[in-house]
Amino acid sequence: VFDRKYLFCTIPSEGNVIYLTFDDGPVQEVTPGVLSILKERNIKATFFCVGENVKKQPDLYAEVAGAGHTIGNHTFHHLNGWKTPPAEYFEDVRRCEAYFKTTLFRPPYGKFTPSQYFLLQKQYRIILWSVLSGDYHKGITKERCLENVVTHAKSGSIVVFHDNLKAKENLFYALPRF
């Protein structure tokens, strides 16, 4: 049984609050542009970072964290939990701790097994989402990406964008308009 004090798809909120999140970075060709858009609008977000990318881009990671954004763990190698044995998966999650500490975790692809959940919930609050932008999907236009988030986001929603190369075109169209 998934315990709601460790697993979140929405966050009940007073007023009109949306939780903006980014997965997969930091990536030099994308993350600085995201940071610029957020800074222009005085918005704080949560970045679920891939440890391998943080290792490759420590200065860019420091820029994200230094700007006051929240950081979450997204595994070291962006592993699919359905295709990875629990012990190996958990070790990959823990490997990120050499580069940053956090109590937040988001499974890549939103996929993890009950046994992985059991191990993770002891150390992390697992943050899923209620609105997936689809920015990474080749079959989704930039207009449709924007429509996805505008149509479905409401107070308490956790919205996912991606600061990776696959999402770049849709992201840079949809994010500032959203």
Side-chain angles (χ1 to χ4, degrees), residues 26-156:
V27 174
Q28 189 60 51
E29 297 84 355
V30 182
T31 307
V34 170
L35 291 174
S36 178
I37 291 167
L38 297 176
K39 184 177 181 178
E40 285 173 13
R41 291 159 175 80
N42 196 29
I43 295 171
K44 297 299 180 200
T46 301
F47 286 77
F48 287 92
C49 296
V50 172
E52 190 171 36
N53 290 340
V54 171
K55 181 181 178 182
K56 291 176 189 173
Q57 300 286 335
D59 293 342
L60 185 52
Y61 167 79
E63 189 177 337
V64 173
H69 299 290
T70 303
I71 305 297
N73 186 322
H74 202 46
T75 75
F76 190 83
H77 291 105
H78 201 266
L79 296 180
N80 181 330
W82 291 359
K83 297 179 180 179
T84 310
E88 181 182 334
Y89 189 80
F90 192 66
E91 181 55 36
D92 200 74
V93 171
R94 291 185 60 103
R95 189 167 175 196
C96 283
E97 294 176 11
Y99 300 93
F100 59 90
K101 303 280 189 224
T102 182
T103 59
L104 303 179
F105 176 76
R106 175 174 287 154
Y109 315 102
K111 296 179 178 180
F112 58 105
T113 66
S115 57
Q116 291 162 348
Y117 167 80
F118 178 75
L119 290 171
L120 291 165
Q121 59 88 28
K122 293 177 181 180
Q123 187 173 345
Y124 297 98
R125 291 173 46 211
I126 301 166
I127 311 297
L128 295 176
W129 58 84
S130 49
V131 180
L132 184 61
S133 69
D135 55 357
Y136 60 90
H137 195 282
K138 290 180 183 176
I140 293 181
T141 65
K142 58 189 180 183
E143 293 83 8
R144 176 69 179 149
C145 177
L146 176 61
E147 184 182 333
N148 286 345
V149 292
V150 169
T151 302
H152 297 101
K154 59 186 181 204
S155 185

Side-chain angles (χ1 to χ4, degrees), residues 13-30:
S13 304
E14 297 276 331
N16 192 18
V17 177
I18 293 173
Y19 297 91
L20 191 56
T21 69
F22 296 88
D23 286 5
D24 301 348
V27 174
Q28 189 60 51
E29 297 84 355
V30 182

